[in-house]
Amino acid sequence: QVQLVESGGGVVQPGGSLRLSCAASGFTFSGYALHWVRQAPGKGLEWVAFIRFDGTNTYYADSVKGRFTISRDNSKNTLYLQMNSLGAEDTAMYYCARDLSGTGDFWGHGTLVTVSS
Amino acid sequence: EIVMTQSPATLSVSPGERATLSCRASQSVSSNLAWYQQKPGRAPRLLIYGASTRATGIPARFSGSGSGTEFTLTISSLQSDDFAVYYCQQYHKWPPRTFGQGTKVEVK
């Protein structure tokens, strides 16, 4: 069955960096585009970034552009999100999601990022 | 950026009753609209895509309708498992792929 497992979250100081990973299994990873979506505590969903199946195109929300980088390693069935210059506004649960015709048909359980001094 | 607005913010419904949730886009998104269900502490779950197509394994009591700027998610007979927060999302014009702020369906 399709599984997406995020990792790499934790507590980081303002201005710091963190790299999230999303390990995929149960489907042909290299055939699907992927998203990162986040959710601040008690808030709604915010789309963060997208990467094509082959990694040739990436797109970002304005709130993270220039600070976050989405990438993937199809040989390792893994999606990444490199997050730099983190601020309190980046505190959230981060989910990876598989793309189905523009939507997210399978989601991981999420990994929590807390930016705090 | 396309702004998605959901109403109401909270919907109080008794089990077995019908629930109707609304989502409005600030400009046309054609039929490029999805609905998600999220329970506390859980990841979102795709219910509907293409405005009206149920995702794999979604019960028939969930239905979506609409196109352009006005959309509706209907739960025909609420089960105890359906009390959750529901989000709409457009994927017509992006980035960004924008979500509505959510509608919480609670027990009346």
Side-chain angles (χ1 to χ4, degrees), chain B residues 12-56:
Chain B
S12 298
V13 186
S14 299
E17 287 187 341
R18 182 187 196 91
T20 303
L21 290 67
S22 296
C23 176
R24 174 176 292 178
S26 60
Q27 59 184 273
S28 176
V29 299
S30 186
S31 294
N32 297 311
L33 189 285
W35 289 95
Y36 299 88
Q37 176 194 67
Q38 188 179 33
K39 298 178 182 178
R42 303 285 296 275
R45 172 194 183 196
L46 178 65
L47 298 176
I48 302 284
Y49 64 95
S52 60
T53 302
R54 278 190 301 277
T56 303

Side-chain angles (χ1 to χ4, degrees), chain B residues 35-90:
Chain B
W35 289 95
Y36 299 88
Q37 176 194 67
Q38 188 179 33
K39 298 178 182 178
R42 303 285 296 275
R45 172 194 183 196
L46 178 65
L47 298 176
I48 302 284
Y49 64 95
S52 60
T53 302
R54 278 190 301 277
T56 303
I58 301 303
R61 64 180 182 272
F62 291 92
S63 63
S65 63
S67 65
T69 62
E70 301 284 343
F71 300 88
T72 300
L73 174 69
T74 301
I75 311 171
S76 59
S77 176
L78 267 164
Q79 308 297 304
S80 57
D81 192 48
D82 301 335
F83 293 99
V85 178
Y86 293 82
Y87 295 94
C88 61
Q89 181 204 21
Q90 69 83 19

Side-chain angles (χ1 to χ4, degrees), chain A residues 35 37 39 43-47 50 59-62 65 95 99-110, chain B residues 1 32-34 36 38 41-46 48-50 55 87 89 91 94-101:
Chain A
H35 304 264
V37 177
Q39 186 170 37
K43 303 297 185 182
L45 300 169
E46 180 188 15
W47 174 82
F50 168 91
Y59 301 94
Y60 299 91
D62 285 347
K65 199 175 295 181
Y95 298 100
D99 184 85
L100 169 68
S101 302
T103 68
D105 67 337
F106 281 97
W107 296 58
H109 56 83
Chain B
E1 171 176 327
N32 297 311
L33 189 285
Y36 299 88
Q38 188 179 33
R42 303 285 296 275
R45 172 194 183 196
L46 178 65
I48 302 284
Y49 64 95
Y87 295 94
Q89 181 204 21
Y91 50 97
W94 64 280
R97 297 192 183 187
T98 44
F99 290 90
Q101 79 279 19

Side-chain angles (χ1 to χ4, degrees), chain B residues 8-9 11 66 102:
Chain B
L11 185 62

Side-chain angles (χ1 to χ4, degrees), chain A residues 27-89:
Chain A
F27 66 100
T28 304
F29 183 77
S30 59
Y32 287 84
L34 296 160
H35 304 264
W36 285 101
V37 177
R38 68 184 180 183
Q39 186 170 37
K43 303 297 185 182
L45 300 169
E46 180 188 15
W47 174 82
V48 173
F50 168 91
I51 187 166
R52 269 175 50 105
F53 67 97
D54 56 2
T56 55
N57 288 90
T58 58
Y59 301 94
Y60 299 91
D62 285 347
S63 58
V64 307
K65 199 175 295 181
R67 300 187 299 121
F68 290 13
T69 302
I70 187 171
S71 62
R72 63 192 296 162
D73 186 337
N74 285 348
S75 69
K76 295 183 178 179
N77 289 355
T78 303
L79 173 72
Y80 303 101
L81 186 67
Q82 177 66 44
M83 305 186 296
N84 299 331
S85 302
L86 286 163
E89 68 278 9

